[in-house]
Amino acid sequence: MKNILITGGSGLVGSALTALLQQKGYRVTHLGRKENLSGLIKTYRWDYKTGEIDVKAFDGVEVIINLAGASVAGGRWTSAYKQEIYNSRVISTRLLYETIKNHQLPVKKIISASATGYYGDSLQLVDENTPSSNDFLSKVCADWESEAKKIESLGIPLTILRIGIVLSAKGGFVPEMAKPIKMGFGTVLGSGKQQISWIHINDLCGIVLKAITDDGFTGPYNCVTPNPTTNAQATKLFAKLLRKPLWLPNAPAFALKIILGGMSYELLVNHNVSAKKLIGAGYEFIYTDFETALREALTNS
């Protein structure tokens, strides 16, 4: 039985992953902002802002899954919140690396999250060899990955997961898209042609499980299905499955920029991301059809 430590374990992905790993017989603990050693999942405290970390969290740990990071949809992108998005990923990963190095912790593998935002806005299909772009989220992802790659210098195998839009009943894209449509105010954003590379939460957890069990599964991998959708297709499908009309005109890009500020960029860019490397590594998807995946998520929401 492997002992696994998850940073960001209480988040959307971390919660689903914890449940799966426990079901598979793994011992799972978390690193979080609040210590809780009496709950079902032991949580040890760390704080990237102060450099505080409880080294006891690493006792017996063989695999670390690094998912920590403030939500990019957690609020308007003020200068302060953009700094939090950046620091909560980059500085926390640096703290993880320094702790492993300074205490010579015998960790056998690190799995570290990133995002398809690494590639920026691209209509052309991008893969793991495509360089990062130069917008805000691209820089966040590139610096995040750079900090994680320092771990390789310690002789520890590293897998980086560039995660697309996650479909889950528990939070994120699905409930946020469904909310205005359920209220009768759903609308296509911008032109609606922008590409969305997505993955179902069950597949994302399956990919992490493969990274844990497959010694050859290292380096960066795009965690997306081979079948992207568009904003217009997704919005219309939400309306169809929720049995709600779409009567409003498309929300113009300039209005989104006024209302949401910098965060509007992520709603208007194209993420056309290849899953070829993941498929070549032998991962078999549970969900490759957007309607089937979305139907499952909405049914369980």
Side-chain angles (χ1 to χ4, degrees):
M1 179 180 75
K2 282 190 172 76
N3 293 336
I4 296 177
L5 177 66
I6 303 178
T7 75
S10 62
L12 176 66
V13 177
S15 297
L17 186 57
T18 296
L20 175 64
L21 293 176
Q22 287 186 312
Q23 180 187 335
K24 296 289 184 181
Y26 292 94
R27 176 180 173 269
V28 181
T29 53
H30 291 173
L31 266 178
R33 286 173 293 180
K34 294 182 179 179
E35 180 182 276
N36 181 6
L37 302 181
S38 60
L40 293 175
I41 306 294
K42 285 188 177 181
T43 301
Y44 296 86
R45 178 173 161 74
W46 75 329
D47 186 343
Y48 73 86
K49 295 178 181 178
T50 61
E52 176 187 351
I53 190 166
D54 189 342
V55 181
K56 293 192 296 293
F58 299 89
D59 289 349
V61 167
E62 298 167 83
V63 177
I64 299 173
I65 302 171
N66 181 32
L67 304 174
S71 171
V72 296
R76 187 178 175 86
W77 281 8
T78 61
S79 296
Y81 196 67
K82 285 172 74 174
Q83 197 64 53
E84 184 176 350
I85 289 172
Y86 183 92
N87 289 348
S88 63
R89 288 164 171 79
V90 178
I91 306 302
S92 64
T93 302
R94 184 179 303 162
L95 176 59
L96 196 61
Y97 158 73
E98 290 174 347
T99 303
I100 295 169
K101 178 185 177 183
N102 293 340
H103 293 272
Q104 298 182 334
L105 299 173
V107 179
K108 294 180 179 177
K109 189 164 193 179
I110 307 287
I111 300 162
S112 193
S114 183
T116 54
Y118 177 91
Y119 303 109
D121 183 8
S122 179
L123 270 171
Q124 293 185 331
L125 189 67
V126 296
D127 63 21
E128 289 82 356
N129 294 317
T130 304
S132 62
S133 187
N134 54 10
D135 59 66
F136 168 67
L137 282 184
S138 299
K139 177 173 174 52
V140 170
C141 291
D143 289 357
W144 193 8
E145 292 187 16
S146 292
E147 291 298 330
K149 286 176 184 175
K150 291 178 182 178
I151 291 165
E152 292 179 312
S153 68
L154 305 177
I156 301 172
L158 171 70
T159 304
I160 292 176
L161 307 178
R162 293 175 182 162
I163 303 170
I165 293 294
V166 178
L167 303 190
S168 168
K170 304 298 184 182
F173 179 78
V174 172
E176 288 301 315
M177 281 284 288
K179 192 184 303 179
I181 293 173
K182 286 179 178 178
M183 296 173 64
F185 297 107
T187 182
V188 174
L189 304 179
S191 70
K193 296 178 181 178
Q194 55 270 40
Q195 297 276 315
I196 299 173
S197 287
W198 60 275
I199 190 162
H200 191 280
I201 187 73
N202 292 353
D203 274 312
L204 181 54
C205 290
I207 293 165
V208 176
L209 187 60
K210 180 173 178 60
I212 293 169
T213 58
D214 185 344
D215 292 340
F217 195 82
T218 57
Y221 283 88
N222 294 329
C223 296
V224 296
T225 72
N227 300 312
T229 187
T230 67
N231 178 266
Q233 290 168 341
T235 305
K236 291 172 184 176
L237 185 56
F238 267 93
K240 171 189 167 184
L241 296 179
L242 293 170
R243 298 180 181 178
K244 294 289 184 179
L246 285 178
W247 58 274
L248 290 171
N250 290 21
F254 76 86
L256 291 172
K257 290 174 183 176
I258 291 171
I259 296 168
L260 299 175
M263 190 171 69
S264 65
Y265 175 82
E266 270 301 287
L267 303 175
L268 298 169
V269 298
N270 292 280
H271 289 309
N272 187 12
V273 181
S274 171
K276 187 176 180 180
K277 183 181 177 184
L278 186 60
I279 295 169
Y283 183 74
E284 296 182 5
F285 285 93
I286 304 167
Y287 296 98
T288 56
D289 175 68
F290 185 75
E291 180 168 353
T292 305
L294 181 58
R295 190 183 296 274
E296 189 282 335
L298 287 172
T299 299
N300 290 291
S301 63

